[in-house]
Amino acid sequence: VRRAFPLPMSQTGFACRLANTNVRQTGIQEHTRMSKFPAKAKVVIVGLGGIVGASVAHHLIERGWDDIVGIDMSGIPTDVGSTSHASDFCYTASHDFLSVWTTLYSIDFFDKLGNYERIGGLEVARVGDNARMDEIKRKVASAKAFGSRSHLIGPKEIKEKFPLIEESMVQGGLWDPDAGLVTPRSQTVAGKLVDMAEKTGKLKPYANTAAKSLIIQNGRIKGVETSRGTIMSDHVVVCAGIWGRLIAEMAGEDLPVMPVDHPLTFFGPYTEFAGTGKDIGYPLLRDQGNSAYMRDTGDPTTAEGGMIEWGYYEEKNPRMVHPRDILSKEQSSWSPSQRDLDMEQILEPLERAIVLTPILGELGYDERRSFNGLLQVTADGGPSFGESRKVRGL
């Protein structure tokens, strides 16, 4: 997933997802109890329970690898990492080839799995924000050159696609017909990919198994010491998300990534799509000039439906959280990757959002569901991947 924006869990949805996760984890727990932890493997994946770790396992097997062991400090799929509350957006419009190509690949991949809703996505520029409109034009030009079907549209068409917006407030924007949502969740897809990989006999997953230290000899990775025992391996792939910096630290790497608070708010009830069974009814909306996005959550009878979600990225004072300061599962009231939200921190951008989409002011604010969802970011907003500079095979 190129762009994964956190989506909070309603109390009902949260309970349902924990129940689903527990069902999915039962097999992993049984596997963990019944099988002896292996002493060696070709590859060890740290953080198998997230969408990245699960995808790595799937793609390694697809390319002929075997003898893979995946560990996760939580359940599988994760019930503590960012994947457990990701909003699961995919947008193909971007300035660089790699971002566009990987997103198009991901959309095709999820679609073939039967886990993608191609609902489309908008990105708008407000009246008076000519710099944002120029940026959108550049983005569309880049994206089209790299295979995206994104194109420019005017205020009237924006209103037709997203009726909740004030047409007089926007001067234009981009429309990405292939943008959409991973459904029902990337958390579900992560579990599905691990199941598929395990059935091949080439992956052994171990839940509730934390990486304690890395074994390094002569500049090469040789294994991982875990809470379940030591496993030797010449290849270790770190997919630990918001805890990734701590794993890199074990190898003497100062990985330039940091978890950051991402305010997620919910407004409702919103019953426009009652009886449809949809996970989402209107296209995705990006209001980048306000550092925000918005979507509906579909049919009220679905686990997390009947609401409007509005998410915001701190533009002036981002709240970074060192992974050492993330609470444990036992200490957290929600999940280690979810923190309490103070409404004061978002009042100014929320007021701007209400001017663009008045529905937010008309619906009730649901404090119970709203939170700060931790996600990992880099300084330049791009991915951080590849072999360690200091340790071969890591």
Side-chain angles (χ1 to χ4, degrees), residues 7-331:
L7 175 70
M9 295 169 271
S10 66
Q11 298 304 310
T12 305
F14 184 55
C16 287
R17 282 167 66 184
L18 279 183
N20 290 337
T21 301
N22 287 338
V23 169
R24 165 68 187 92
Q25 287 170 12
T26 300
I28 300 297
Q29 309 288 1
E30 286 298 325
H31 181 111
T32 301
R33 283 196 295 269
M34 294 172 63
S35 63
K36 183 180 178 182
F37 191 68
K40 63 179 182 177
K42 286 183 183 177
V43 185
V44 173
I45 298 171
V46 179
L48 179 70
I51 189 65
V52 176
S55 182
V56 166
H58 172 88
H59 286 86
L60 283 175
I61 290 169
E62 219 180 37
R63 283 153 180 75
W65 289 70
D66 59 8
D67 192 18
I68 304 165
V69 168
I71 64 173
D72 202 289
M73 70 173 185
S74 75
I76 298 175
T78 182
D79 54 351
V80 301
S82 298
T83 299
S84 68
H85 55 73
S87 260
D88 311 316
F89 288 18
C90 288
Y91 268 84
T92 69
S94 192
H95 283 298
D96 64 289
F97 171 77
L98 180 62
S99 296
V100 176
W101 184 88
T102 52
T103 305
L104 287 170
Y105 174 88
S106 296
I107 288 172
D108 182 62
F109 180 77
F110 294 129
D111 203 19
K112 286 176 179 174
L113 281 178
N115 293 105
Y116 191 69
E117 182 65 41
R118 200 182 300 262
I119 195 73
L122 292 159
E123 184 175 323
V124 301
R126 298 186 184 218
V127 170
D129 192 352
N130 295 333
R132 177 63 52 186
M133 192 67 224
D134 289 344
E135 160 67 5
I136 287 175
K137 290 175 182 177
R138 289 193 296 270
K139 185 182 287 188
V140 167
S142 297
K144 288 172 75 171
F146 300 137
S148 168
R149 295 197 297 154
S150 300
H151 57 270
L152 297 171
I153 61 173
K156 183 180 178 182
E157 194 174 353
I158 290 171
K159 177 70 173 180
E160 290 171 355
K161 294 182 181 299
F162 197 86
L164 302 179
I165 205 165
E166 285 291 294
E167 183 179 345
S168 62
M169 290 294 299
V170 292
Q171 61 173 299
L174 70 79
W175 169 247
D176 183 349
D178 295 310
L181 202 63
V182 178
T183 58
R185 309 231 57 86
S186 59
Q187 183 188 39
T188 307
V189 175
K192 187 174 181 177
L193 291 175
V194 172
D195 277 340
M196 291 164 57
E198 188 180 11
K199 285 176 183 175
T200 67
K202 297 176 181 179
L203 169 71
K204 293 179 181 177
Y206 290 87
N208 304 311
T209 306
K212 297 295 186 182
S213 63
L214 301 177
I215 301 169
I216 300 167
Q217 296 174 3
N218 301 319
R220 282 204 68 93
I221 192 74
K222 289 296 180 181
V224 185
E225 291 182 8
T226 81
S227 57
R228 201 175 293 276
T230 299
I231 180 168
M232 306 304 289
S233 177
D234 287 332
H235 302 279
V236 174
V237 189
V238 179
C239 306
I242 56 177
W243 293 277
R245 188 167 192 166
L246 299 182
I247 307 296
E249 229 173 34
M250 297 175 185
E253 287 273 17
D254 185 15
L255 198 64
V257 297
M258 188 68 80
V260 65
D261 270 348
H262 168 43
L264 264 293
T265 60
F266 281 79
F267 300 81
Y270 185 68
T271 59
E272 179 69 22
F273 301 104
T276 64
K278 294 181 176 181
D279 292 305
I280 183 171
Y282 292 133
L284 310 173
L285 175 69
R286 277 181 171 173
D287 177 20
Q288 302 286 58
N290 195 30
S291 196
Y293 67 88
M294 179 173 160
R295 61 157 289 199
D296 68 82
T297 63
D299 189 338
T301 61
T302 61
E304 296 164 6
M307 304 295 288
I308 295 290
E309 173 197 350
W310 180 78
Y312 173 67
Y313 289 88
E314 295 285 358
E315 190 174 15
K316 298 174 183 174
N317 298 299
R319 291 164 171 79
M320 289 187 284
V321 182
H322 198 285
R324 281 193 297 263
D325 299 328
I326 299 173
L327 298 177
S328 70
K329 189 175 180 179
E330 294 69 31
Q331 296 170 315

